[in-house]
Amino acid sequence: MLKTKRTLTKLVCAIGASAVLAGMPAVGQAWEPQKPVEFVVMAGKGGGADKAVRYIQSIIASEKMSSVPFTPVNKPGGSGAEALVHLNGKKGDNHTIMFTLNSFYTTPLRQPGLGVDISTFTPVARMAEDTFLLWVNSDRKDINNMDDFVKAAKAKGSDWIMAGNGKNSEDNLLTDFLNTAYGLKMKYVPYKGGGKVAKELAGNNADSTVNNPSEQLGFYEAGTTKALASFTDERLPLFPNAPTFKELGKDYVYYMQRTVVGAPGMDKEAADYYQKLFTKVFNSAKWQEYRNKRSLQGELLTGDALMSYWLKQREVHRVMLKNMGVIK
């Protein structure tokens, strides 16, 4: 009887040890996720961030880069506040990551009560910097350049509707620039997601937008919308007839990060895993082709270099928001 009890005790201990070891890598083995990874999007479905995340997800799956699925979850509420608070509450979580817009900077600055400090998040990988163009519906035969646009917008005054993604967001910043630079009074109307914004313009429910190329591309290719000018350093090959604002005498350039972020306090081994994974995605032929087709700019940034980029951009956006009168 005693021998049987000892044997049973050894068996129970062995099973318990196996269960513990199953959730952690073996000695000398690199960390890998043990369950599906939640891939949070700071915006609604159909926008540039959402499309990028779903394409990245498809690359990871088709190229068998991970043994677990990456599951996109849209949290667009409060111009990204919903997503930021969610990730901020996942301290030490190795299975939750997020894809950002520039609301990553502006929303915590506008809403300090959220208790979000981006310097506490784990920098994974900047996959691109997205671009912006000024768009109108192709039905506007009277608008073919910025002079036409300014004339039409001035004539309509505050009844001119500029649709955008979120309040005090990137689109709002660009609208404020246009109003100030050209003496306009356009009314900014926020929506949840760049995809919805693009549809509003295509349906003639808005007078203009400052969508990313990926958000307007389908309508542009169908001849429904047209680009007038770009907020880039140089003309975009996909839109050769859209001059830069620098060419038009307005020295204004603006890009939006498309970056993968980890939760605060993520284990170093997990951070290393995600940095290597997204570096592999970045260097893949599929992602490079996606970048080219959607006029995405910027090189890969990871780790400390990415954190430095965040902190610099946060200060740039702090100045923008102060100039808008949104923060003091």
Side-chain angles (χ1 to χ4, degrees):
M1 177 66 72
L2 182 60
K3 182 178 180 181
T4 303
K5 286 184 178 179
R6 286 176 177 171
T7 302
L8 182 61
T9 301
K10 289 179 180 179
L11 179 62
V12 170
C13 290
I15 292 172
S18 296
V20 171
L21 291 173
M24 59 187 293
V27 176
Q29 180 180 338
W31 184 92
E32 290 186 5
Q34 302 299 310
K35 61 182 181 180
V37 176
E38 183 182 47
F39 203 169
V40 178
V41 188
M42 290 184 70
K45 292 182 178 180
D50 179 66
K51 289 181 177 180
V53 164
R54 294 179 190 278
Y55 193 71
I56 288 171
Q57 174 202 32
S58 74
I59 293 175
I60 293 173
S62 65
E63 301 296 323
K64 295 180 172 54
M65 294 181 179
S66 173
S67 60
V68 302
F70 281 61
T71 307
V73 179
N74 296 85
K75 291 186 178 294
S79 296
E82 178 187 8
L84 285 162
V85 170
H86 177 74
L87 190 65
N88 198 48
K90 294 280 188 175
K91 186 175 181 180
D93 190 327
N94 293 334
H95 293 83
T96 303
I97 57 176
M98 182 174 73
F99 202 67
T100 69
L101 293 75
N102 284 357
S103 50
F104 182 68
Y105 315 120
T106 58
T107 297
L109 288 171
R110 291 191 300 105
Q111 302 181 56
L114 295 175
V116 172
D117 179 356
I118 65 171
S119 69
T120 66
F121 287 116
T122 302
V124 176
R126 188 186 75 180
M127 303 299 288
E129 287 185 305
D130 213 338
T131 55
F132 292 85
L133 296 99
L134 175 63
W135 302 85
V136 295
N137 195 292
S138 295
D139 288 345
R140 294 302 301 258
K141 306 301 182 185
D142 59 322
I143 303 178
N144 296 295
N145 53 50
M146 278 306 296
D147 288 339
D148 295 341
F149 178 86
V150 171
K151 181 180 178 181
K154 279 187 175 181
K156 201 168 182 179
S158 59
D159 290 329
W160 184 278
I161 302 299
M162 173 74 87
N165 178 22
K167 185 178 180 181
N168 295 321
S169 64
E170 304 87 1
D171 295 7
N172 205 159
L173 291 170
L174 296 179
T175 302
D176 184 71
F177 157 73
L178 291 170
N179 278 338
T180 301
Y182 292 98
L184 306 177
K185 297 180 180 179
M186 295 183 293
K187 181 180 180 181
Y188 179 78
V189 179
Y191 292 89
K192 288 185 178 181
K196 174 65 174 174
V197 173
K199 289 178 181 177
E200 290 298 303
L201 181 62
N204 272 321
N205 298 314
D207 296 296
S208 59
T209 70
V210 284
N211 278 123
N212 306 126
S214 62
E215 295 165 343
Q216 276 290 350
L217 192 56
F219 296 119
Y220 169 76
E221 291 177 338
T224 306
T225 60
K226 53 187 175 183
L228 299 180
S230 67
F231 295 87
T232 52
D233 290 286
E234 299 178 352
R235 292 196 188 198
L236 298 171
L238 192 60
F239 311 98
N241 296 323
T244 67
F245 280 96
K246 291 174 70 174
E247 287 180 70
L248 298 172
K250 307 294 182 183
D251 192 10
Y252 195 88
V253 174
Y254 190 77
Y255 297 95
M256 178 164 62
Q257 67 163 341
R258 299 298 192 193
T259 296
V260 183
V261 177
M266 177 181 280
D267 290 341
K268 182 182 184 302
E269 293 78 10
D272 289 344
Y273 168 84
Y274 289 116
Q275 288 173 11
K276 290 176 182 176
L277 172 66
F278 285 99
T279 295
K280 189 181 296 184
V281 172
F282 182 90
N283 290 327
S284 69
K286 289 182 179 179
W287 181 247
Q288 290 303 316
E289 181 182 11
Y290 183 90
R291 281 167 51 94
N292 290 334
K293 285 186 175 181
R294 285 157 180 79
S295 296
L296 296 174
Q297 312 287 304
E299 298 305 315
L300 176 73
L301 287 180
T302 61
D304 292 342
L306 179 53
M307 178 61 75
S308 296
Y309 170 80
W310 284 352
L311 299 181
K312 179 181 178 180
Q313 287 299 311
R314 181 171 63 179
E315 294 313 303
V316 168
H317 284 82
R318 190 191 305 275
V319 172
M320 288 182 179
L321 291 175
K322 284 184 177 181
N323 291 339
M324 287 176 67
V326 175
I327 62 174
K328 296 181 179 179

